[in-house]
Each structure stands twice: as structure tokens, then as C-alpha cells.
Amino acid sequence: YRRYDEKEKREYLDTVNIFHKISIPVVDDVRFLPAFGPVPESNTQGCAIVNADFESVRNRTDLVAIHIEDDAMSPTIVPGSMVLIDRADRTPVKDGELWLCRAPNSDATAIRRVALEGDNVIFWNDNPNSMPPRTYSLKDGYDGVLGNAILGRATWQRSRLY
């Protein structure tokens, strides 16, 4: 093995920037958060410390972390996982991306895959034993506003190790 001198170690650490972390609030219930901006401390369970250089975190401005308790998105997201949600990003670009969604005329939220088809939004799970894809009218269930159906992009997850 090659031994590195102190100058080489410092240069290496500067390039990987392993100490650049950010604190993201872990929320108990996204339904009661303001749509954008700071999360009230009364709505948090603590903070997740994440490397700010992760591509899925970098340049994101309104992140919150949530815990996943059901298996609807298994095997992609297993129960016990933590998922980061970017509340500032509410516009799906590609079909099949993961989003935090709200059921129409309801406060229930969940991570789902999403597709847009005209004035409809389609939600589906990864777990084949879960519910089939569901199509909802943006006009009828969300007052015609996509941001009422999509609460943020799922950008990163940390799974539990069993």
C-alpha cells in the first residue's frame, strides 16, 4: 500500500468533500405541512443528516423526509425506509417516476408512480399484490390543479437493513 502525506490527504478530502452534510426535517404527517417553505417544529420527529453532494439532494430547496410504513411500493421501497421528498418539484416529466401523491378529495398521502394522460393523473404501486393502477380526473378530484394531486418528488431513499 502507498502511504500518503498530509498534503495529499487534505487534497483528497477537499475533492470528495465528505463533510458536506445537510439536515432535513423528518415529518410525521405531510398533510398538515405548508405547501412550501419552512416546516414548523411541531410537525417534525427530528432530522435526517444527508450528504449534500448526493445528486438526488444537490440543488433541491424544499426537502422533507418521511417514513414508509406500508409495502405498496415493495420491492422498490420497503416498509421502514426513509424517503426524501422535494416539495418544490411537483411536475412529472416522465411516466413512472416516484411522487408523493394525495388521493382525490382526501388527506391520505402515499408514494406512487405517476403518469399524466390528458386531464387525468394515474397512480400505481410496485407491489403486484396491491391495488391496480387508478386514474383520477384533475378537474373533478383536484380542482384542475396538478399540485393538489402531487405533493413532491421522491428523490432519495434509505432502506432498512434486516
Side-chain angles (χ1 to χ4, degrees), residues 29-32 100-112 123 136 142 148-149 151:
D29 197 337
V30 293
R31 296 176 294 174
F32 304 112
L100 179 65
C101 305
R102 185 178 62 81
N105 304 312
S106 168
D107 286 332
T109 61
I111 301 288
R112 297 290 181 258
F123 299 150
Y136 300 106
Y142 301 102
N148 290 340
L151 303 180

Side-chain angles (χ1 to χ4, degrees), residues 74-141:
S74 290
T76 306
I77 302 173
V78 298
S81 295
M82 179 182 292
V83 177
L84 296 186
I85 304 296
D86 183 358
R87 297 183 303 153
D89 186 351
R90 292 179 174 217
T91 308
V93 176
K94 292 186 328 191
D95 289 351
E97 294 176 319
L98 296 174
W99 296 86
L100 179 65
C101 305
R102 185 178 62 81
N105 304 312
S106 168
D107 286 332
T109 61
I111 301 288
R112 297 290 181 258
R113 293 200 183 273
V114 172
L116 299 176
E117 193 175 88
D119 288 336
N120 295 320
V121 60
I122 304 166
F123 299 150
W124 72 93
N125 304 329
D126 284 357
N127 186 337
N129 299 322
S130 194
M131 72 177 194
R134 298 222 173 148
T135 302
Y136 300 106
S137 166
L138 286 173
K139 290 179 185 174
D140 296 336

Side-chain angles (χ1 to χ4, degrees), residues 66-68 73-84 156-162:
I66 61 171
H67 288 284
I68 303 301
M73 291 306 294
S74 290
T76 306
I77 302 173
V78 298
S81 295
M82 179 182 292
V83 177
L84 296 186
W156 177 87
Q157 75 155 325
R158 184 192 74 207
S159 295
R160 232 167 135 180
L161 298 176
Y162 293 98

Side-chain angles (χ1 to χ4, degrees), residues 50-65:
V50 178
N51 187 332
D53 294 324
F54 287 160
E55 187 174 338
S56 55
V57 174
R58 190 179 322 127
N59 300 323
R60 304 251 178 210
T61 58
D62 200 355
L63 292 168
V64 295

Side-chain angles (χ1 to χ4, degrees), residues 24-27 44-48:
I24 298 169
V26 177
V27 298
T44 65
Q45 295 176 338
C47 290

